[in-house]
Amino acid sequence: MIHYKKRLFLFFLILLSFATAEAKPLDFYFTVKRYLEPTSQENYVEFAYLIPGNIPKYTEVSPDKFQAEVLLVLDFINAKQETVFKHSYVVQSPIYSDNPKSLNNLSDVLNLKMSEDSLELQIQVLDLHDSTAYFTDRISLNQLPQKNRLLSDIALISAKKEGEEGGLFYKAGHIFIPKFINYYPTEMTKLGFYVEAYQRDSAKRCLIKYFISDENNVVIEKYSNFKKLNTQNFDALYSEFDISALPSGNYYVYAELRNEDNALIDRKRMYFQRLNNTEESKLDNVDYYELDVIKNNFAEKYDLRNITHHINALKPIAEGFEKAAIDGAINGQQLYLMHNYFFSFWIKRDSKNPEE
């Protein structure tokens, strides 16, 4: 990857005229995960992204040689709407001859130290050879809390491979390729995920319990397991569930950090959507139990008309399959489910004060 300071000036010139241009969306898939550096205990954000190889525009860089270039700009923004950290660089494709058999995806992972006053991450992406192809998003950030024991975010994984330290997507001894879309069609029968555990008081041994719940936070006990952690200050879990028989629907994969007395210390979850057209996709003879995660649910003060309005208003900032979940909640018109969804939407973005 090559940095171009001159290209930044070009980028901002293009942005000035962007409002008058007919923009078209640039397909840009990304994940944002919060981790701790085990030794320093400093917060950092892992930003991984993928641009399909056939999406950007390729231009001739020498006779019969073609290349695409995409500019990525990341800004950490504080409560005063000030940029406290900026990272930008040009992503270049390989150079291809005319009519290549295939085009590589443009993908990378960036580990960015997160300052204490970082509240939002602004993402701007521009195809440098097509000024109308543009992507932008702005998402909320939260520091991982300063606790003696806690979990990182959960990352959905599309593939696990052997690899060497320093390689792209290397973590905890392996290469973990992120899954950029939280959607599992019929032909995908495995759900893999990765989570890290941090223990400052490492004398006592903890465990991670992990499981799948439905969209109402009802645990499907068939999809449940646990791992005992080592007594060091860092451990990681990669695991897979066989979801070949999991019916179509909206689900969460959960990870819970529990102490030696099985008391809950920390909990993380990650949403995914399943489409299963096989006849065997049913959950017979499976134990369920309700997970107590909805506490102080401020959404319960809204009646059906108001909660419908508020959920519908989430669409402009909803991510990926959240939009499908919003439509499902509105169409279902079940008040308690709509309360829970609205609460869950905001606690995902601000775990300390979702109502604000």
Side-chain angles (χ1 to χ4, degrees), residues 1 107-110 164 166-171 174-177:
M1 302 303 175
S107 189
D108 199 4
V109 59
L110 307 172
E164 296 182 357
L168 193 62
F169 303 123
Y170 177 90
K171 283 199 294 282
H174 293 86
I175 301 295
F176 294 102
I177 309 299

Side-chain angles (χ1 to χ4, degrees), residues 274-289:
R274 174 69 168 157
L275 175 64
N276 197 343
N277 292 325
T278 62
E279 294 182 359
E280 296 79 14
S281 60
K282 55 185 179 179
L283 293 173
D284 290 340
N285 300 318
V286 175
D287 294 328
Y288 296 82
Y289 65 90

Side-chain angles (χ1 to χ4, degrees), residues 170-215:
Y170 177 90
K171 283 199 294 282
H174 293 86
I175 301 295
F176 294 102
I177 309 299
K179 193 170 190 317
F180 291 97
I181 301 177
N182 300 7
Y183 173 67
Y184 292 81
T186 304
E187 57 271 19
M188 296 189 69
T189 60
K190 300 290 184 182
L191 181 145
F193 67 96
Y194 174 89
V195 65
E196 294 182 354
Y198 315 105
Q199 303 179 84
R200 290 191 178 93
D201 52 345
S202 57
K204 297 181 180 180
R205 196 171 186 181
C206 292
L207 63 84
I208 295 180
K209 182 179 180 181
Y210 52 97
F211 50 87
I212 291 176
S213 82
D214 66 14
E215 61 184 328

Side-chain angles (χ1 to χ4, degrees), residues 302-321:
Y302 300 122
D303 61 19
L304 186 60
R305 182 181 65 84
N306 284 325
I307 197 65
T308 300
H309 168 78
H310 289 319
I311 290 179
N312 201 46
L314 300 176
K315 286 184 176 179
I317 61 170
E319 302 171 359
F321 287 101

Side-chain angles (χ1 to χ4, degrees), residues 67-115:
Q67 187 176 42
E69 295 181 301
V70 177
L71 181 66
L72 172 67
V73 179
L74 301 176
D75 290 279
F76 284 119
I77 298 171
N78 64 15
K80 298 178 181 180
Q81 298 302 299
E82 300 169 335
T83 296
V84 294
F85 178 80
K86 179 186 288 287
H87 182 80
S88 57
Y89 73 112
V90 173
V91 186
Q92 293 182 310
S93 75
I95 296 176
Y96 298 102
S97 300
D98 197 12
N99 297 320
K101 294 182 179 179
S102 62
L103 298 170
N104 293 339
N105 295 330
L106 281 64
S107 189
D108 199 4
V109 59
L110 307 172
N111 293 316
L112 307 172
K113 183 180 176 181
M114 185 176 174
S115 61

